[in-house]
Amino acid sequence: MHEDKTKEGFRLKLTQYLESSRCRKTPERYTIADIVYDAARSFNAEYVFEEARTRGVTVSLATVYNTLALMTSANMIRRINVNGRSCYEKDTAPSSYIHLCCTECGKLKDVKNAQLPELAAAKRFGKFSASYASVTIYGLCSSCVRAKRRAELKANILAREKRIQENRKKKIDTRK
């Protein structure tokens, strides 16, 4: 029951923003809001688009992007740039997560860090007033590290086998 109230509160916030902005209240926008509410911490427009199709709702990718932009303006979600791609977060409270982004496969993982909001609040930026901080660390996820190690080992084994075959061939050639 509590979850429905929270989802209804999320939809109500969208309704209020659409009315104040004089935008149309379409079923597609509310479907997108439901998908966003149900989504994991971080998501992208393509995820929302595919999830709408899975739910049997016909919606264009442009509608998804436009609705996500409206929801960003309404402070319902936050847009973050991860590895050159736009991702979104539902949580608009001061960020307490560090985003770990794999540069190989693009996987995004959020790691909780309670000190981030305090660090951002403690730093002075002249007359600039910081509202939140987003930290993204780029590197390789454990799956990509393992795959890279396997590929290197395989390349080393193949190179060693090739050297052994070349040495055998040289020995045979020198005996003739």
Side-chain angles (χ1 to χ4, degrees):
M1 188 75 169
H2 181 269
E3 183 178 338
D4 289 339
K5 285 184 180 180
T6 305
K7 188 182 250 186
E8 286 306 313
F10 194 74
R11 289 174 128 240
L12 180 61
K13 189 169 184 176
L14 178 61
T15 300
Q16 291 169 344
Y17 183 78
L18 292 173
E19 287 174 354
S20 69
S21 301
R22 294 189 173 150
C23 294
R24 292 186 310 133
K25 295 179 279 186
T26 64
E28 293 82 7
R29 285 183 174 158
Y30 287 102
T31 298
I32 292 167
D34 290 343
I35 292 167
V36 166
Y37 179 81
D38 294 338
R41 237 189 85 59
S42 297
F43 57 93
N44 60 23
E46 289 77 17
Y47 166 81
V48 175
F49 178 72
E50 289 300 322
E51 185 64 24
R53 293 180 75 192
T54 301
R55 294 181 185 194
V57 177
T58 303
V59 63
S60 71
L61 193 54
T63 300
V64 171
Y65 276 108
N66 291 335
T67 303
L68 292 176
L70 284 170
M71 293 173 78
T72 302
S73 297
N75 290 322
M76 296 173 68
I77 60 174
R78 182 181 321 145
R79 184 174 153 244
I80 56 174
N81 187 11
V82 178
N83 208 17
R85 296 182 356 217
S86 289
C87 290
Y88 299 88
E89 296 178 318
K90 288 183 291 188
D91 183 17
T92 57
S95 181
S96 59
Y97 289 87
I98 296 174
H99 308 289
L100 303 177
C101 182
C102 181
T103 55
E104 188 71 25
C105 68
K107 189 186 314 180
L108 180 67
K109 180 178 180 182
D110 294 331
V111 178
K112 192 165 182 72
N113 184 332
Q115 296 172 333
L116 271 181
E118 296 164 11
L119 290 171
K123 181 70 178 158
R124 299 265 183 223
F125 301 102
K127 293 182 181 180
F128 183 81
S129 176
S131 56
Y132 69 90
S134 179
V135 177
T136 305
I137 299 174
Y138 298 94
L140 295 177
C141 69
S142 59
S143 299
C144 290
V145 167
R146 279 193 307 273
K148 191 173 183 178
R149 282 187 194 146
R150 275 190 227 119
E152 288 172 355
L153 285 172
K154 189 174 182 179
N156 289 340
I157 290 170
L158 291 173
R160 186 179 307 141
E161 288 176 357
K162 186 177 179 181
R163 281 194 308 268
I164 291 170
Q165 288 176 355
E166 288 173 354
N167 287 339
R168 286 182 185 162
K169 188 176 180 182
K170 285 180 185 178
K171 286 181 184 180
I172 293 172
D173 289 343
T174 55
R175 289 183 189 166
K176 290 182 180 180

